[in-house]
């Protein structure tokens, strides 16, 4: 995925990160997952406490026995909040690469890494990860970058980075 906005320098290409629809979907899915876990915790704890080989029988029985009125809505609410916090963390640390002919800037959360063009000897995909290699074979970057394979490859080729088909 490449996008153009005011924070991208002229001639640069931005890849990675999630689009607005994907961001909302991520937040909704993690929130729903947290809510579901909050609803199912007592049922799962009671079931696990009855399995003879399951460790921590005492704590599981204790968790399953909480039946206060506020926990009926409190567990799902706490689960949903925790799910939303995990979603925000995932969105924050998802790397975004800004490519120019001179360098690659990788931004993940508050961390910014700059790789100068002359250090890059190869770029390839390894599963869902992008791997940027130096001339000595050292990995300058290895991480999951959101976007289609073709869009990522085209972005690197547009700036004359050596793309290796792997």
């Amino acid at each position: 995925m490449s996008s153009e906005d005011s924070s991208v320098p002229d001639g640069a290409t931005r890849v990675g990160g999630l689009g607005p629809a994907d961001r909302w979907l991520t937040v909704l899915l993690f929130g729903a997952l947290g809510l579901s876990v909050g609803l199912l915790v007592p049922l799962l704890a009671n079931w696990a406490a009855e399995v003879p080989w399951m460790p921590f029988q005492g704590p599981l029985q204790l968790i399953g026995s909480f039946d206060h009125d506020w926990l009926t809505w409190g567990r799902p609410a706490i689960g949903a909040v925790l799910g939303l916090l995990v979603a925000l963390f995932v969105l924050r640390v998802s790397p975004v690469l800004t490519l120019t002919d001179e360098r690659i800037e990788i931004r993940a959360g508050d961390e910014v890494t700059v790789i100068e063009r002359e250090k890059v000897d190869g770029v390839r995909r390894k599963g869902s990860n992008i791997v940027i290699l130096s001339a000595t074979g050292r990995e300058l970057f290895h991480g999951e970058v959101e976007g289609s394979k073709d869009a990522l490859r085209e972005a690197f080729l547009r700036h004359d980075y050596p793309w290796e088909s792997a």
Side-chain angles (χ1 to χ4, degrees), residues 37-96:
V37 169
L39 284 170
L40 296 175
V41 161
L43 298 172
L44 293 174
N46 283 329
W47 170 81
E50 294 174 4
V51 177
W53 51 264
M54 186 68 67
F56 305 110
Q57 294 276 328
L60 289 171
Q61 288 172 345
L62 181 64
I63 291 170
S65 70
F66 290 144
D67 60 355
H68 296 288
D69 291 338
W70 73 271
L71 288 174
T72 304
W73 57 267
R75 275 190 302 262
I78 291 168
V81 168
L82 291 175
L84 293 173
L85 290 173
V86 170
L88 293 175
F89 174 76
V90 167
L91 294 174
R92 182 158 171 71
V93 300
S94 180
V96 176

Side-chain angles (χ1 to χ4, degrees), residues 32 42 54-55 58-59 77 140 150 165:
M54 186 68 67
L140 302 172
D150 292 336
S165 59

Side-chain angles (χ1 to χ4, degrees), residues 53-155:
W53 51 264
M54 186 68 67
F56 305 110
Q57 294 276 328
L60 289 171
Q61 288 172 345
L62 181 64
I63 291 170
S65 70
F66 290 144
D67 60 355
H68 296 288
D69 291 338
W70 73 271
L71 288 174
T72 304
W73 57 267
R75 275 190 302 262
I78 291 168
V81 168
L82 291 175
L84 293 173
L85 290 173
V86 170
L88 293 175
F89 174 76
V90 167
L91 294 174
R92 182 158 171 71
V93 300
S94 180
V96 176
L97 281 63
T98 303
L99 307 168
T100 66
D101 294 342
E102 297 82 30
R103 65 188 195 150
I104 302 170
E105 181 181 286
I106 304 162
R107 186 175 301 272
D110 292 333
E111 187 176 323
V112 177
T113 304
V114 176
I115 302 172
E116 297 300 327
R117 170 64 182 93
E118 58 268 4
K119 293 181 181 177
V120 178
D121 194 52
V123 181
R124 64 182 160 138
R125 246 181 113 87
K126 187 175 185 180
S128 63
N129 293 318
I130 291 290
V131 180
I132 301 173
L133 300 167
S134 71
T136 60
R138 192 181 81 145
E139 289 184 355
L140 302 172
F141 174 76
H142 185 147
E144 189 169 348
V145 178
E146 298 294 331
S148 74
K149 292 179 181 183
D150 292 336
L152 291 169
R153 181 177 56 79
E154 289 302 318

